[in-house]
Amino acid sequence: MIPSIHNQGRNTARLLAYLYGPGRREEHIDPHLVASFDGLAPDPGRDPSTTLADLAQLLDEPLHLLPEDTRPTTHVWHASVRAAPGDRPLTDAEWADIARRVIAATGIDPGDGAGCRWAAVRHADDHIHLIATLVREDGRRPSHHRSAKRAQTECRQIEVDYGLYRVAAGDGTAAKRPTSAERHKAERRGRQRTSREELREEVRRSVAGAAGEEEFFDRLASAGLLIRRRIAPSGDTLGYTVALPGDRNGKGEPVFYSGSKLAPDLSLPRIRERWTQTSDDATQQPVQPSVTGPARRRAAGVAWQALLVVDQGDDGVISAQITATGELLDALAQTSAAHTRHELQAAATAFERASRSHVRAARGHDHALRQAASDLVHSGPALGRGEDGATAAMAIDMLFFLITAAAHWHAKKQHAQQAEAAHRAAEHLRAAYQAAAEHPMALLNHRGRHLAPSWQRHHSATVRHALPELADRILAEPGWPALAATLADAQAAGHNPAALLGEATRRRELTSATSISDVLVWRLRRTADLPAYGVSAAEAHRAAPANSQPAPARQMPTPSTPRTPRR
């Protein structure tokens, strides 16, 4: 149940004409009254003898009883209450009860016998409109401050009482929703999103990993946005507004939005907070172009470190990590290969809501993530092949667990909308991972299946020795051969596979993973600094002769005595 409080107006008859009219796209069906302040108001939709003027006059009567110079300039209160997608159709009687409850909760008509006059109009299956005159029967103004929050609270209880979908409660940190006028304008232009939404995304991308103010504004200009800076007499920039070149008002002028109107954390002062550095951070520099693979590997590494901070850190530091995770996800999305781009962009858009809460971010502690975002942006677009594609899968895998941890933290703090947004972002990341990992995992699985049987038994024994409680599940997974190939690579590089497995599981649980073997592949390849893409199948065959014999399972090879399988 989603309530929306609209702008106040000054013409009751005009709003009624819209509510009872055909709509802007003939979408209004059977407009009629479902409830009113006294239950007796005339209904122009069902009673042919009643006009819109009759209903407007009845609602405005308390206004006209006041001396003209004491009447409020804007007296028309307008709200809508919409069922969530998937809710069952509600009857007129149910909508009438919902209308009375919302009107009472907002303070428009609190039930004291002298409230405002109001009416509820239904012209669609899934929502109603509420209209009221903001003068009480006793001539006073209603106490309807914070009516939006009050309506939200009441709608959460209505959902429980009627068995409807439970909408996540907000905390006032969400970005402002597009207005009805903005949505209709986008539809007329044939665009799926409003200008406000497009600008929010472009500004968010431009700030991702930006090292300072000039780089931020350069990125805005490169994105093709119109930019206006508000300059102080000293020459300092105080703020900014942006517009889409093709978005014009009735006078043909560009429609500008300030950063704070796009999202609470996109005002220039809030953006500047991201550039706070500690003394230890000052020497770090972004990477140079054409090193996409290493940039993604480093992103995976800092995501892993951030995951540990979200698990164990203070709230302010965790909040900073989560905000910077949004930047890293934005940077990964805008530099991603074509086959993962759609899902990564959807993940970044969803996570935008999860990146803000009332917990103040302790800036300066998030520099590693922001540096990783900068590295990705400066490394340029990814091709999604070879080592580049495999390191992308590695980074996405680590980000999936980081964002899942962020969802758990938000849920623990009762940040319902943020937790839900993080979970949605994680689902998009899961889809992106499947696309990114398909080829490199197929190669690793091929190599693992072609290991000599003695080596397959050896690596199986290693898993049973290191992870006895998870071994049966891991060995039954489709990704087990890829893990076997990774254990072989780690052993050939001089590592102790059992020790690596213990380290990979000791620092983070695995039972929630869809595929434990997949997760271990990327953790081990990152920890052991193995090529994410591995080696070719031909090289794998040459490296694993059939006549070689592994060390006995009870005598695990140590880093000082590596053994390479031979055929």
Side-chain angles (χ1 to χ4, degrees):
M1 192 61 59
I2 307 166
S4 298
I5 309 299
H6 305 286
N7 293 333
Q8 293 178 194
R10 60 182 68 194
N11 193 317
T12 301
R14 181 179 300 169
L15 178 56
L16 286 173
Y18 166 73
L19 298 180
Y20 276 93
R24 294 181 174 90
R25 292 162 291 128
E26 304 293 327
E27 73 274 21
H28 294 176
I29 301 172
D30 185 25
H32 60 280
L33 211 67
V34 294
S36 65
F37 66 100
D38 61 357
L40 301 173
D43 182 7
R46 297 282 177 85
D47 185 353
S49 64
T50 296
T51 66
L52 294 175
D54 294 334
L55 180 56
Q57 182 178 1
L58 178 67
L59 294 176
D60 282 349
E61 196 168 288
L63 177 72
H64 296 302
L65 295 177
L66 296 176
E68 190 168 348
D69 59 348
T70 63
R71 297 174 187 172
T73 55
T74 54
H75 67 275
V76 181
W77 183 85
H78 176 210
S80 59
V81 184
R82 185 177 299 272
D87 276 342
R88 63 177 176 84
L90 300 172
T91 66
D92 280 356
E94 289 173 320
W95 276 120
D97 177 59
I98 291 168
R100 284 188 286 268
R101 290 176 62 168
V102 172
I103 284 287
T106 57
I108 297 298
D109 185 2
D112 59 359
C116 299
R117 296 190 177 187
W118 60 272
V121 178
R122 182 181 188 182
H123 56 212
D125 285 341
D126 64 347
H127 70 278
I128 58 171
H129 286 262
L130 305 173
I131 178 173
T133 299
L134 292 175
V135 177
R136 289 165 46 93
E137 297 283 4
D138 56 12
R140 294 186 292 118
R141 300 296 301 274
S143 177
H144 68 107
H145 65 287
R146 303 186 71 186
S147 58
K149 185 172 181 61
R150 293 180 180 183
Q152 289 283 357
T153 301
E154 184 62 28
C155 282
R156 300 295 78 78
Q157 186 58 48
I158 290 171
E159 291 161 358
V160 174
D161 295 343
Y162 279 89
L164 304 175
Y165 174 76
R166 305 282 293 277
V167 175
D171 60 0
T173 62
K176 185 177 179 180
R177 291 180 179 177
T179 65
S180 297
E182 290 171 346
R183 288 194 298 270
H184 292 311
K185 184 177 182 180
E187 290 171 3
R188 290 195 303 271
R189 297 170 62 201
R191 305 181 78 97
Q192 294 184 338
R193 295 185 301 167
T194 65
S195 296
R196 186 193 298 271
E197 292 168 316
E198 290 186 26
L199 287 168
R200 181 186 304 137
E201 182 171 299
E202 289 295 347
V203 173
R204 200 182 70 233
R205 289 178 179 176
S206 297
V207 79
E213 195 167 305
E214 291 311 310
E215 182 180 352
F216 167 60
F217 283 115
D218 286 345
R219 289 194 196 174
L220 290 178
S222 297
L225 304 187
L226 304 179
I227 309 165
R228 287 179 179 172
R229 297 203 208 187
R230 187 159 55 91
I231 306 298
S234 62
D236 295 331
T237 301
L238 300 178
Y240 73 99
T241 58
V242 287
L244 293 176
D247 185 24
R248 306 276 169 165
N249 59 20
K251 299 179 181 179
E253 301 168 335
V255 180
F256 281 89
Y257 294 82
S258 65
S260 60
K261 295 299 183 183
L262 300 177
D265 56 345
L266 293 182
S267 67
L268 189 56
R270 292 292 300 277
I271 289 174
R272 282 172 172 156
E273 292 177 4
R274 305 181 189 219
W275 299 321
T276 302
Q277 288 189 346
T278 63
S279 58
D280 294 336
D281 297 329
T283 59
Q284 300 189 44
Q285 298 295 329
V287 298
Q288 297 304 311
S290 73
V291 286
T292 314
R296 277 159 175 70
R297 181 180 283 273
R298 283 192 290 275
V302 298
W304 174 254
Q305 295 300 321
L307 175 62
L308 302 178
V309 173
V310 172
D311 281 343
Q312 304 166 9
D314 296 332
D315 284 347
V317 176
I318 293 173
S319 180
Q321 298 290 319
I322 290 175
T323 301
T325 297
E327 291 193 48
L328 182 57
L329 189 51
D330 273 316
L332 187 63
Q334 62 185 289
T335 59
S336 59
H339 66 301
T340 59
R341 188 174 304 139
H342 175 74
E343 292 293 348
L344 286 174
Q345 288 177 343
T349 299
F351 194 73
E352 184 266 345
R353 178 66 190 97
S355 64
R356 288 187 306 275
S357 71
H358 284 302
V359 178
R360 190 73 172 181
R363 294 298 188 179
H365 296 277
D366 55 354
H367 181 75
L369 283 167
R370 297 201 70 255
Q371 181 68 43
S374 178
D375 291 350
L376 286 172
V377 171
H378 285 84
S379 70
L383 299 177
R385 298 192 296 268
E387 182 73 3
D388 174 75
T391 53
M394 179 186 291
I396 294 169
D397 178 71
M398 294 297 176
L399 274 170
F400 172 84
F401 283 97
L402 175 55
I403 285 174
T404 300
H408 293 161
W409 181 80
H410 278 308
K412 184 173 65 176
K413 294 295 178 182
Q414 298 184 331
H415 303 160
Q417 287 187 356
Q418 290 91 331
E420 183 181 61
H423 281 303
R424 282 190 282 112
E427 287 307 306
H428 288 295
L429 282 176
R430 190 192 301 276
Y433 169 78
Q434 291 169 350
E438 181 178 8
H439 186 65
M441 288 298 289
L443 173 64
L444 288 169
N445 274 314
H446 177 80
R447 288 183 52 215
R449 283 191 292 268
H450 285 78
L451 287 174
S454 57
W455 280 107
Q456 293 182 16
R457 290 191 297 271
H458 171 71
H459 297 310
S460 174
T462 300
V463 171
R464 291 193 181 279
H465 174 80
L467 309 174
E469 295 181 355
L470 298 174
D472 286 341
R473 176 177 167 183
I474 293 172
L475 296 173
E477 289 180 341
W480 156 243
L483 179 56
T486 296
L487 292 171
D489 289 346
Q491 185 168 324
H495 296 281
N496 184 331
L500 285 176
L501 285 170
E503 177 70 9
T505 54
R506 183 163 54 250
R507 299 182 69 185
R508 181 74 187 175
E509 62 87 19
L510 283 167
T511 54
S512 62
T514 303
S515 172
I516 298 177
S517 50
D518 278 26
V519 174
L520 288 175
V521 163
W522 300 123
R523 289 189 188 177
L524 266 59
R525 302 196 80 83
R526 182 190 60 80
T527 303
D529 200 26
L530 301 172
Y533 194 57
V535 297
S536 69
E539 291 171 319
H541 281 300
R542 288 196 296 270
N547 60 1
S548 69
Q549 293 295 324
R554 295 179 183 175
Q555 299 175 1
M556 297 296 176
T558 64
S560 59
T561 58
R563 299 191 56 172
T564 304
R566 296 174 297 170
R567 187 175 298 278

